[in-house]
């Protein structure tokens, strides 16, 4: 019986296993196949795709069947990157390192995505709640896919497979491709394999079919857009290459013509002096930067050698002699030969002085070119050379143009009547750079190679003609220069590729894939269970009702608190009124007693006691002032002041007279002689306190007090300024507090309520007060009164 049970359990487990999914090898195959298809949609440089389904397959497989499948992900990713790299170029250590790094990143990304999904959403999941759907879109896609994009792109850069200029673009495309692959393909695998089947099977028609159809449409549009973009780029690049070939051909022809002009100069004259030669070639040298030198090389026989060298020495070249190079490349005296082809005239002379007297026929390869030019009567170019006078590391060549002293219609006549050669010394790099100067130099990479050369045919650009990665645009053409065939290879530069990225394809593919992701999320949400939505609505409704009830309760508590606060304020004001009123009589009695004691005992008491009695009377006076101000302060909240027409100038002058220092201080009024509609009592109290404070707290025996008035549509502004000590900014707020004084009370008498009274009076009438001072010299108090008060027009 037990054996039968074990057999049944084994059969059940075998039926539950699906080898097409659980086997890591088959998972690796699925990874490689879908990855290869995705790379068909890759945009140059081709290492990344805008959608990468293997990322979604890897994540879904680990979630559905467990993390034990991770070797399949590693094998699939490693093989895919290895094969895709080897298809474009030979297998190298860089490709191996990159493939290993990318496989590691893909595996870690799938494991991290699976862990985050289980931790933040839970798995298995039905993805019926909007919260779960969008958490999955965030966590499984953009968040976890940061891992492989960073590892992969850094390995691409480190191995030199992409330039630094492609770093940002490749990283973003990689990250976006993995994210979209996860967000589209993972839900499709969930629909095919997840539990409960009753829910997920119902999504075949409502979710899977629309997603697959949308993907097919997006893929078709992307392939079409990519093909169109590549054709357009190829056409534009071909135009640039053709234009370059035409310009280069035209430029080289003009250089050949420059040498041919020297031939015509000698053919038209029996003797050309060096000065004539110099004037003749001067314009050409100034306008053709690729010319390293132009020379006249006569044929000198051995019997003529001594006379020829003597003539040049007499012309100022004391050390002149015919030279050649030894085996080490050093310039030495030329050996005896039947004839020499010597550099006689050469311009510019200063830059080419070393070449003067050099026998160009001493080199067997150049001798071959000279003989070919002599026998053909046409200009002949040499293979790539390093010039005697070369200063830069660039290729050069010589162009020999034969000059005859008689008839030269046959080979025999040419050999008999050869007089010498017009020679052009050209720098290939300067010629090509001049042609490419401007837009072409940044757009293309040019390689020029001499096909006629036996070895080292490189003239310009990359050393080898096929060092660039296949797959990018490449065009070839050829030119014939002096009887030699040059092959021209054109590749797009990095800037050209960056400027001609397939943004249209990128936009079509990105827009389509993002739409597909949003469509999938919408369809998943719409196909969820209805009771989830109903329960959310009910819970939300109950929560809203509870909050409304809490708000009502809070409002009731606030109303009660406001009433209690209002009652407390009224009681406090009443207490202040009663206290200040009831304390007046005892203080008056104490003041009279102090006066009697002072009169009766003036001669009896010592001087110290009389001084103490004076201080007592001062303290009583201060207390009386404080009580009076306190009484005024308490009335401010209860009295309803009448608004009336007042003259601000009269009120300010009366307040100034009451200070008792009108002789020492000067009052200046500005725009105050006007009638304004404001409550008289608060205005009088405010001006009396402000002017009194300005006099009382002045640090000098005299000063100026300025009162000004201005008005706009919204408020009246009364400004009282003095030239006394300023109020530091840190003490300005304290100056407005009750019973607060900035100086010791023994120095300046006061209740400390002056500015508080002003502030309270203004604020009760919906105005405000501010202090403006730099804390060093001068204080300005501004009173802002509303232009309309108590529902009445208060305009002046």
């Amino acid at each position: 019986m037990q054996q039968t049970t074990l057999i049944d359990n084994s059969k059940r487990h075998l039926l539950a296993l699906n080898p097409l999914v659980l086997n890591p090898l088959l998972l690796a195959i699925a990874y490689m196949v879908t990855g290869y298809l995705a790379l068909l949609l890759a945009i140059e440089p081709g290492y990344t795709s805008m959608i990468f389904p293997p990322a979604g397959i890897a994540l879904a497989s680990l979630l559905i069947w467990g993390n034990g499948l991770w070797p399949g992900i590693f094998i699939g990713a490693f093989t895919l990157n290895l094969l895709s790299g080897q298809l474009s170029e030979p297998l190298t250590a860089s490709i191996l390192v990159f493939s290993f790094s990318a496989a590691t990143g893909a595996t870690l990304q799938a494991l991290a995505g699976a862990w985050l999904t289980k931790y933040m959403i839970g798995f298995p999941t039905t993805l019926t709640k909007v919260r779960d759907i969008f958490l999955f879109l965030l966590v499984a896609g953009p968040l976890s896919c940061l891992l492989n994009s960073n590892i992969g792109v850094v390995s691409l850069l480190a191995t030199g497979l992409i330039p630094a200029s492609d770093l940002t673009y490749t990283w973003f495309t990689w990250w976006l491709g993995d994210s979209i692959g996860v967000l589209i393909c993972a839900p499709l695998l969930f629909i095919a394999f997840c539990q409960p089947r009753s829910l997920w099977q119902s999504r075949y028609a409502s979710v899977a079919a629309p997603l697959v159809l949308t993907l097919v449409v997006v893929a078709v549009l992307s392939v079409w857009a990519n093909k169109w973009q590549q054709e357009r780029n190829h056409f534009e690049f071909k135009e640039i290459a053709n234009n370059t070939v035409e310009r280069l051909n035209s430029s080289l022809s003009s250089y050949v013509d420059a040498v041919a002009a020297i031939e015509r100069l000698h053919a038209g004259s029996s003797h050309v002096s060096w000065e004539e030669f110099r004037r003749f070639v001067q314009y050409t040298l100034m306008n053709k930067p690729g010319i390293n030198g132009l020379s006249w090389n006569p044929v000198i026989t051995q019997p003529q050698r001594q006379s020829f060298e003597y003539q040049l020495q007499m012309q100022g070249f004391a050390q002149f002699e015919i030279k050649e190079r030894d085996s080490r490349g050093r310039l030495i005296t030329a050996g005896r030969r039947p004839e020499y082809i010597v550099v006689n005239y050469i311009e510019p002379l200063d830059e080419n002085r070393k070449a003067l007297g050099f026998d160009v026929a001493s080199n067997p390869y150049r001798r071959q070119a000279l003989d070919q030019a002599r026998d053909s009567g046409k200009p002949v170019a040499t293979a790539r050379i390093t010039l005697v006078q070369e200063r830069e590391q660039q290729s050069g060549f010589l162009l020999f143009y034969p000059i005859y002293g008689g008839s030269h219609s046959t080979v025999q006549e040419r050999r008999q009547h050869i007089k010498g050669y017009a020679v052009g010394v050209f720098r290939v790099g300067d010629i090509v750079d001049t042609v490419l100067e401007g837009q072409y130099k940044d757009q293309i990479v040019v390689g020029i190679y001499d096909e006629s050369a036996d070895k080292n045919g490189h003239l310009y650009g990359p050393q080898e003609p096929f060092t660039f990665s296949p797959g990018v645009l490449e065009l070839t053409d050829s030119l014939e220069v002096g009887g030699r065939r040059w092959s021209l290879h054109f590749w797009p530069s990095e800037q050209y590729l960056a400027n001609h990225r397939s943004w249209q394809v990128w936009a079509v593919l990105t827009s389509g894939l993002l739409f597909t992701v949003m469509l999938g999320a919408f369809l998943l949400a719409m196909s969820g269970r209805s009771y989830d939505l109903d329960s959310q609505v009910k819970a939300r409704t109950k929560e809203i009702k509870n909050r409304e009830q809490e708000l009502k309760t809070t409002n009731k508590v606030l109303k009660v608190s406001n009433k209690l606060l209002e009652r407390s304020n009224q009681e406090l004001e009443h207490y202040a009124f009663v206290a200040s009123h009831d304390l007046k009589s005892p203080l008056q009695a104490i003041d009279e007693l102090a006066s009697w004691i002072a009169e009766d005992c003036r001669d009896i008491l010592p001087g110290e006691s009389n001084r103490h009695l004076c201080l007592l009377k001062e303290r009583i006076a201060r207390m009386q002032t404080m009580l009076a101000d306190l009484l005024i302060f308490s009335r401010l909240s209860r009295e309803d002041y009448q608004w009336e027409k007042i003259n601000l100038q009269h009120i300010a002058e009366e307040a100034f007279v009451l200070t008792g220092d009108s002789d020492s201080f000067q009052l200046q009024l500005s725009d105050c002689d006007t009638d304004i509609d404001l409550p008289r009592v608060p205005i009088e109290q405010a001006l009396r306190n402000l002017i009194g404070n300005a006099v009382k707290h002045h640090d000098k025996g005299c000063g100026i007090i300025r009162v000004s008035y201005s008005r706009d549509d919204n408020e009246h502004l009364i400004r009282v300024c003095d030239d006394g000590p300023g109020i530091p900014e840190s003490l300005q707020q304290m100056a407005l507090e009750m019973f607060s004084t900035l100086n010791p009370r023994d120095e300046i008498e006061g209740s400390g309520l002056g500015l508080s009274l002003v502030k309270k009076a203004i604020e009760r009438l919906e105005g405000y007060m501010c202090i403006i001072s730099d804390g060093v010299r001068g204080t300005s108090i501004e009173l802002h009164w509303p232009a309309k008060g108590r529902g009445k027009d208060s305009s002046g």
Side-chain angles (χ1 to χ4, degrees):
M1 184 66 180
Q2 185 177 3
Q3 184 178 3
T4 303
T5 303
L6 292 175
I7 294 175
D8 291 340
N9 288 336
S10 299
K11 289 181 178 180
R12 192 178 300 113
H13 286 299
L14 289 174
L15 291 174
L17 293 176
N18 188 343
L20 293 176
V21 178
L22 293 180
N23 192 319
L25 181 60
L26 295 178
L27 176 58
I29 294 174
Y31 194 104
M32 286 187 292
V33 171
T34 55
Y36 176 78
L37 294 175
L39 291 179
L40 295 178
L41 296 176
I43 303 172
E44 294 296 342
Y47 289 102
T48 56
S49 175
M50 294 299 297
I51 177 173
F52 197 65
I57 294 174
L59 174 64
S61 298
L62 297 187
L63 286 171
I64 297 172
W65 295 290
N67 293 341
L69 289 178
W70 70 264
I73 301 172
F74 183 88
I75 295 171
F78 180 80
T79 308
L80 173 64
N81 287 287
L82 192 65
L83 293 177
S84 61
Q86 194 171 3
L87 290 176
S88 60
E89 55 187 84
L91 181 62
T92 61
S94 297
I95 295 177
L96 284 172
V97 172
F98 163 68
S99 300
F100 181 84
S101 301
T104 303
T107 306
L108 293 177
Q109 175 177 288
L111 290 170
W115 181 84
L116 286 171
T117 302
K118 293 175 182 178
Y119 177 77
M120 300 192 70
I121 303 172
F123 201 87
T125 178
T126 57
L127 290 183
T128 56
K129 298 180 180 179
V130 175
R131 171 188 173 277
D132 292 345
I133 293 172
F134 282 96
L135 267 180
F136 180 78
L137 293 180
L138 175 64
V139 171
L143 187 58
S144 64
C145 290
L146 289 171
L147 192 60
N148 195 24
S149 59
N150 284 306
I151 295 175
V153 173
V154 169
S155 63
L156 279 173
L157 183 64
T159 54
L161 295 176
I162 62 170
S165 58
D166 286 339
L167 179 63
T168 303
Y169 176 82
T170 304
W171 177 89
F172 183 74
T173 307
W174 190 314
W175 170 76
L176 188 63
D178 278 8
S179 299
I180 293 177
V182 168
L183 299 179
I184 292 178
C185 296
L188 292 177
L189 284 180
F190 292 162
I191 292 173
F193 298 105
C194 266
Q195 299 292 334
R197 296 306 304 150
S198 58
L199 170 63
W200 288 104
Q201 284 178 350
S202 66
R203 289 174 166 170
Y204 276 115
S206 60
V207 179
L211 281 181
V212 173
L213 180 61
T214 305
L215 276 176
V216 171
V217 172
V218 171
V220 171
L221 289 176
S222 300
V223 170
W224 175 83
N226 190 36
K227 182 179 179 181
W228 173 81
Q229 182 66 36
Q230 293 301 323
E231 290 177 352
R232 178 180 175 183
N233 290 346
H234 188 272
F235 176 78
E236 291 182 2
F237 185 72
K238 187 176 181 180
E239 287 291 311
I240 294 176
N242 289 338
N243 289 337
T244 303
V245 172
E246 292 178 3
R247 294 178 61 184
L248 188 58
N249 189 32
S250 175
S251 178
L252 288 171
S253 297
S254 69
Y255 279 89
V256 174
D257 290 342
V259 181
I262 300 175
E263 185 273 336
R264 289 190 289 272
L265 173 66
H266 282 268
S269 175
S270 60
H271 175 73
V272 177
S273 68
W274 196 325
E275 184 61 30
E276 291 174 335
F277 180 83
R278 179 183 296 112
R279 288 198 302 268
F280 184 80
V281 301
Q282 185 177 9
Y283 179 80
T284 301
L285 292 173
M286 290 175 58
N287 291 276
K288 293 189 179 301
I291 298 179
N292 195 78
L294 294 174
S295 69
W296 156 240
N297 296 20
V299 177
I300 305 298
T301 63
Q302 176 60 35
Q304 297 172 332
R305 174 175 179 174
Q306 184 176 359
S307 175
F308 175 75
E309 290 177 340
Y310 179 75
Q311 290 178 5
L312 267 293
Q313 290 169 4
M314 291 298 100
Q315 293 178 13
F317 302 98
Q319 303 298 324
F320 180 85
E321 62 179 352
I322 299 177
K323 297 171 289 186
E324 65 182 4
R325 277 184 173 173
D326 63 8
S327 59
R328 298 182 180 180
R330 297 176 299 180
L331 289 175
I332 60 175
T333 302
R336 293 178 59 85
R337 283 189 290 275
E339 66 177 17
Y340 309 89
I341 301 176
V342 185
V343 178
N344 188 7
Y345 302 162
I346 187 166
E347 291 292 336
L349 178 60
D350 292 339
E351 298 177 8
N352 297 278
R353 189 174 294 273
K354 288 183 178 181
L356 190 64
F358 182 73
D359 177 17
V360 295
S362 61
N363 183 291
Y365 296 104
R366 298 185 191 180
R367 180 73 208 195
Q368 183 180 359
L370 289 166
D371 292 344
Q372 182 182 349
R374 179 198 62 194
D375 293 345
S376 65
K378 298 179 181 180
V380 173
T382 65
R384 179 183 185 273
I385 61 170
T386 300
L387 303 172
V388 175
Q389 63 272 41
E390 178 60 30
R391 296 166 301 168
E392 301 176 359
Q393 295 299 320
Q394 62 172 307
S395 301
F397 70 96
L398 302 179
L399 184 71
F400 300 127
Y401 207 111
I403 301 175
Y404 302 97
S407 176
H408 52 278
S409 57
T410 66
V411 173
Q412 185 63 31
E413 290 177 344
R414 294 181 191 125
R415 291 181 178 179
Q416 183 179 356
H417 297 135
I418 185 68
K419 182 179 179 181
Y421 298 84
V423 182
V425 187
F426 300 134
R427 294 189 294 264
V428 179
D430 291 345
I431 296 174
V432 179
D433 288 342
T434 302
V435 172
L436 297 178
E437 186 176 2
Q439 59 176 341
Y440 293 146
K441 190 171 185 63
D442 296 331
Q443 297 293 313
I444 59 176
V445 176
V446 180
I448 302 178
Y449 310 92
D450 187 355
E451 295 182 357
S452 304
D454 297 333
K455 59 180 180 178
N456 195 16
H458 169 258
L459 295 173
Y460 183 86
Q463 288 291 333
E464 298 294 335
F466 301 107
T467 57
F468 281 69
S469 299
V472 298
L473 295 174
E474 180 181 1
L475 295 175
T476 60
D477 209 323
S478 62
L479 290 175
E480 185 172 336
V481 181
R484 304 187 71 85
R485 189 173 184 82
W486 289 2
S487 64
L488 281 68
H489 295 256
F490 299 92
W491 299 276
S493 65
E494 292 183 8
Q495 181 174 339
Y496 180 90
L497 293 175
N499 295 338
H500 291 76
R501 293 197 188 280
S502 302
W503 295 114
Q504 293 87 345
V505 183
W506 196 94
V508 169
L509 193 55
T510 303
S511 303
L513 294 175
L514 289 177
F515 171 78
T516 306
V517 171
M518 293 298 103
L519 176 64
F522 174 76
L523 295 176
L524 283 173
M526 293 299 294
S527 64
R529 296 178 180 179
S530 59
Y531 73 86
D532 287 342
L533 180 61
D534 293 339
S535 61
Q536 290 178 13
V537 171
K538 292 178 181 178
R540 180 67 65 180
T541 302
K542 183 177 180 180
E543 182 181 352
I544 292 174
K545 289 182 179 180
N546 292 336
R547 289 186 178 179
E548 288 179 350
Q549 186 62 37
E550 291 175 359
L551 185 60
K552 290 179 181 180
T553 304
T554 303
N555 287 336
K556 290 180 181 180
V557 172
L558 287 175
K559 288 180 180 180
V560 172
S561 299
N562 287 336
K563 289 182 179 179
L564 292 175
L565 182 60
E566 184 178 355
R567 183 183 303 171
S568 176
N569 288 337
Q570 290 175 352
E571 292 175 353
L572 183 60
E573 291 175 0
H574 179 70
Y575 171 78
F577 174 77
V578 172
S580 62
H581 186 273
D582 291 348
L583 287 174
K584 279 186 176 181
S585 295
L587 277 177
Q588 183 65 33
I590 294 172
D591 185 48
E592 291 178 356
L593 287 173
S595 298
W596 294 342
I597 293 172
E599 291 175 2
D600 295 343
C601 303
R602 181 180 296 110
D603 299 330
I604 302 174
L605 296 174
E608 186 69 15
S609 298
N610 287 323
R611 190 176 66 82
H612 289 164
L613 284 174
C614 292
L615 290 175
L616 177 62
K617 290 178 66 63
E618 291 176 2
R619 300 295 190 276
I620 293 170
R622 182 190 301 168
M623 191 66 182
Q624 289 174 336
T625 301
M626 186 179 297
L627 289 173
D629 290 342
L630 187 61
L631 183 60
I632 294 173
F633 191 85
S634 65
R635 289 174 178 172
L636 287 175
S637 301
R638 294 182 287 107
E639 293 189 8
D640 188 13
Y641 298 107
Q642 296 298 320
W643 295 65
E644 56 184 294
K645 296 288 185 179
I646 62 173
N647 187 280
L648 185 60
Q649 181 170 329
H650 295 164
I651 294 176
E653 289 175 346
E654 291 176 359
F656 180 66
V657 171
L658 289 176
T659 62
D661 289 298
S662 56
D663 295 335
S664 303
F665 286 83
Q666 180 183 352
L667 178 67
Q668 295 181 358
L669 303 175
S670 176
D671 298 327
C672 294
D673 191 11
T674 180
D675 293 335
I676 56 177
D677 191 9
L678 283 175
R680 174 182 292 273
V681 174
I683 286 290
E684 290 178 342
Q685 291 175 345
L687 290 178
R688 191 180 305 124
N689 277 283
L690 293 179
I691 295 174
N693 281 349
V695 173
K696 185 187 306 180
H697 294 280
H698 206 287
D699 58 346
K700 298 179 180 179
C702 58
I704 299 175
I705 301 172
R706 299 178 180 84
V707 180
S708 62
Y709 168 77
S710 62
R711 158 75 188 275
D712 59 21
D713 293 337
N714 297 320
E715 65 180 12
H716 303 280
L717 173 59
I718 300 174
R719 186 181 289 108
V720 180
C721 306
D722 63 63
D723 57 354
I727 301 176
E729 185 177 356
S730 59
L731 300 178
Q732 290 177 8
Q733 185 61 36
M734 187 179 74
L736 298 175
E737 298 176 358
M738 294 178 62
F739 306 112
S740 176
T741 60
L742 303 183
N743 299 98
R745 295 186 183 273
D746 291 337
E747 296 180 6
I748 298 176
E749 285 293 336
S751 63
L753 287 171
L755 292 181
S756 300
L757 289 172
V758 177
K759 181 174 180 292
K760 185 172 183 180
I762 294 174
E763 291 178 348
R764 187 168 182 271
L765 296 173
E766 300 178 354
Y768 65 95
M769 166 183 159
C770 61
I771 301 175
I772 302 175
S773 175
D774 60 3
V776 178
R777 176 59 56 185
T779 302
S780 177
I781 308 293
E782 292 185 351
L783 307 179
H784 297 260
W785 302 76
K788 294 182 179 292
R790 304 206 177 231
K792 295 173 57 179
D793 185 0
S794 61
S795 59

